[in-house]
C-alpha cells in the first residue's frame, strides 16, 4: 500500500470511529406477562439510532437472567441492534447454584409448550418495541437458552434467524422443524460432553429432513459454556471458557446477522 | 443514526473505496520443479502493495490447475495476499474429463509421499517470493486440493493455517496430524456424498487426538463442489454449486485469515 493509500485508510478509520462513538447505550428492566406469570426482562439499545432496526432476543443459560446475558445484550446494542434478554423462569426466580439451575431448566425442558410460550412472550415484547423492525428479528441463546431459541423457532415464530451457542439440540418434537421460518446457525464445542456428537447428528438430520436453512460450526477442543468467562478454564470439567471459540463464535454471529438482516 | 453520523460514514466509505481502487492485479505463469518434473503454477498479486504480505497457496480440484483456481487466486490477490496456484499434476497434465481427472487424482491419493512432495515444491515457490512474509503463509484447497492442503499440513509444513473447501478428509496417516503446525478450517457440505459424515467424524477424531487447533463448518443442504459455479445446480447429482454456501465459506475464510495473519 502506498503512502497516499495509508493516509486515506487512516482518515477513513478515524471518521468511522467518530461516527460510532456518537451512540450511547441505554438499558432498562422491562416487566411483561406470560398469562398470570410476571417476567422481568432486560432491554438494551443505542439511543443514537432513531430509525427501526433489527431486534435480537437473547435467551439465558440455565442459571437464569443475570450479568452474563445482560453483557451480551449490551454488546448487541452496541452493534446497533435492539436487544432484549428474555426471562424464561419468571420474576425473582434466579437460581443460586447448579442444583437450583438444573431444577428450573428441567421444568421447561420437560414441558416444551411452556418453554415455547414463555419465549414467545418475550419475543412479543421485542416485536412490539417501536425501535424494532419486526421483519428483522433473530433469537440467540446460550446452553439452555440455545435450546429454547431453537424450540421457539420450531413453534413457527417469526424469526429471521437463530444462533445457538453451546445450546441443547435435542427435542421431543423433531417433526416441528418444518415450522422453522428463518435460518439456523448452531455453534458447538467439539468436545462438549453435555451436547453430544449423537445429539448433533440427530439435529442435523432433523434440519435436513425438514429442509431448514442451517449451518453448524464445530470448534475443536471447546467444551460446554465455551463463551462464558465464568466457566473456568479447565476443559476436563466439561464446561470451560475458550477465548478463541468465544471470539470466533461472536464474529460468526455478526456475519450471520449481516446476512439475514441485510 | 443521525445525519452527522451518516455523512461521516458515507465519507469514510468513499475514501475506503478510493484507497482500495489504487491496486492493480498482476498475474504470471511460474515454472518450477519437483525433482525432474516440471510444474506450471499461477501467481497472482496486487502490485500496489510493496511490503511483504501473507501468502496463500491454492490447490486445485481433481480437474487440475485451470480457470477456477486461477479465479480464486485472483480474488485472493485482490484481498492483498500473494496467491500461488499450485500445479500438482505437472506441466501440460490438464484432465479433459472426469475419467482423466479421476486417474490423475488417484495417482496422488495412493501415494501420499508424492502428493506431499509435489505440494511442498509449490509451497517453496511461494515462500521464496520476495513479496511474501514467509511466517504468514496459508494453504487452501478445493475437493482433491483440500485433501492435498491437509496432507501438506500433516507433513509438518510451515503453514499458519489451512482451509479446505469440500475437500477430502481421509488419510492413511492420521498419526501424522501431530506434525500440523497451523490452524485448520474445514468447510464441508452437509449432504456431500463423496466426503461422508463418517469421514468427517474420523477427521475430527484425528484432529482432536493430535491436539490440533481445528474447526469445521457444515453447510446444510450443500453437496460436493459447492463453491464451483461450473458444478451445475442439481444437488441430487452429488456435486452442485450452492451460492449461499460459496459466499459463506469465502467470508469464513477471510475471517480465518484475519485471525491467523494478524
Amino acid at each position: 500500500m502506498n503512502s497516499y493509500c495509508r493516509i486515506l485508510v487512516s482518515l477513513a478509520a478515524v471518521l468511522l470511529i467518530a461516527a460510532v462513538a456518537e451512540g450511547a447505550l441505554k438499558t432498562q428492566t422491562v416487566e411483561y406477562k406470560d398469562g398470570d406469570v410476571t417476567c422481568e426482562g432486560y432491554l438494551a439499545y443505542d439511543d443514537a439510532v432513531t430509525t427501526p432496526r433489527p431486534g435480537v432476543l437473547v435467551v439465558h443459560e440455565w442459571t437464569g437472567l443475570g450479568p452474563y446475558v445482560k453483557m451480551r445484550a449490551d454488546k448487541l446494542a452496541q452493534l446497533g441492534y435492539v436487544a432484549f434478554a428474555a426471562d424464561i423462569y419468571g420474576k425473582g426466580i434466579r437460581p443460586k447454584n447448579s442444583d437450583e439451575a438444573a431444577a428450573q431448566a428441567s421444568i421447561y425442558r420437560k414441558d416444551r409448550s411452556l418453554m415455547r410460550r414463555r419465549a414467545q412472550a418475550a419475543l412479543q415484547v421485542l416485536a412490539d418495541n417501536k425501535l424494532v423492525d419486526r421483519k428483522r428479528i433473530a433469537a440467540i441463546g446460550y446452553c439452555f437458552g440455545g435450546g429454547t431459541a431453537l424450540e421457539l423457532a420450531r413453534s413457527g415464530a417469526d424469526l429471521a434467524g437463530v444462533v445457538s451457542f453451546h445450546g441443547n439440540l435435542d427435542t421431543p418434537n423433531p417433526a416441528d422443524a418444518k415450522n422453522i421460518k428463518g435460518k439456523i446457525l448452531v455453534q458447538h464445542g467439539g468436545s462438549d460432553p453435555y451436547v453430544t456428537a449423537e445429539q448433533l447428528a440427530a439435529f442435523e438430520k432433523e434440519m435436513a429432513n425438514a429442509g431448514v436453512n442451517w449451518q453448524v460450526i464445530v470448534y475443536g477442543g471447546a467444551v460446554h459454556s465455551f463463551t462464558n468467562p465464568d466457566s473456568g478454564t479447565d476443559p476436563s470439567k466439561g464446561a470451560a471458557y475458550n477465548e478463541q471459540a468465544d471470539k470466533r463464535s461472536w464474529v460468526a454471529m455478526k456475519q450471520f446477522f449481516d446476512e439475514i438482516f441485510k
Side-chain angles (χ1 to χ4, degrees), chain A:
Chain A
M1 196 182 289
N2 62 32
S3 58
Y4 172 64
C5 286
R6 272 194 293 272
I7 291 167
L8 284 177
V9 169
S10 301
L11 181 56
V14 167
L15 290 172
L16 278 171
I17 290 165
V20 171
E22 283 286 296
L25 176 67
K26 296 286 177 186
T27 67
Q28 66 187 86
T29 299
V30 178
E31 281 200 0
Y32 62 100
K33 292 274 192 180
D34 171 32
D36 293 337
V37 176
T38 300
C39 301
E40 195 174 69
Y42 174 86
L43 184 72
Y45 60 98
D46 180 340
D47 73 348
V49 188
T50 55
T51 50
R53 71 204 86 165
V56 182
L57 187 71
V58 185
V59 190
H60 53 72
E61 299 173 277
W62 72 343
T63 47
L65 177 51
Y68 176 71
V69 281
K70 288 181 178 177
M71 175 271 284
R72 293 293 176 186
D74 291 351
K75 283 182 180 286
L76 287 163
Q78 285 159 348
L79 291 176
Y81 304 120
V82 176
F84 186 58
D87 173 17
I88 303 297
Y89 297 162
K91 184 176 179 177
I93 302 181
R94 300 292 183 263
K96 294 180 192 66
N97 52 49
S98 294
D99 286 347
E100 289 183 23
Q104 278 299 314
S106 179
I107 293 169
Y108 299 88
R109 287 181 47 75
K110 285 179 181 164
D111 185 347
R112 300 294 174 119
S113 296
L114 175 62
M115 176 190 269
R116 292 177 178 192
R117 210 178 63 224
R118 204 55 68 81
Q120 183 65 50
L123 177 62
Q124 199 61 48
V125 174
L126 184 62
D128 289 344
N129 188 303
K130 287 180 182 173
L131 296 174
V132 172
D133 173 1
R134 63 166 62 214
K135 290 183 179 169
R136 294 189 293 164
I137 296 181
I140 74 170
Y142 297 86
C143 303
F144 167 82
T148 303
L150 289 169
E151 205 61 52
L152 178 62
R154 289 186 191 99
S155 78
D158 282 323
L159 293 169
V162 169
V163 185
S164 166
F165 296 84
H166 42 85
N168 299 115
L169 301 174
D170 61 297
T171 179
N173 314 301
D176 287 358
K178 69 179 183 301
N179 302 324
I180 293 176
K181 290 178 178 164
K183 297 178 178 180
I184 304 292
L185 169 60
V186 162
Q187 309 210 64
H188 177 71
S191 299
D192 189 331
Y194 302 116
V195 183
T196 63
E198 291 71 26
Q199 287 169 344
L200 178 60
F203 175 80
E204 291 183 356
K205 191 175 174 186
E206 175 197 348
M207 294 296 112
N209 287 344
V212 176
N213 188 311
W214 64 275
Q215 53 185 320
V216 168
I217 307 179
V218 179
Y219 298 105
V223 293
H224 202 59
S225 294
F226 62 78
T227 65
N228 192 331
D230 297 331
S231 301
T233 55
D234 181 1
S236 74
K237 293 186 175 172
Y241 182 60
N242 182 314
E243 184 180 2
Q244 182 181 76
D246 177 25
K247 288 182 175 174
R248 285 175 169 177
S249 59
W250 189 254
V251 168
M253 178 204 71
K254 288 196 287 187
Q255 290 291 351
F256 181 73
F257 286 168
D258 285 349
E259 180 187 309
I260 66 173
F261 290 149
K262 73 180 175 190

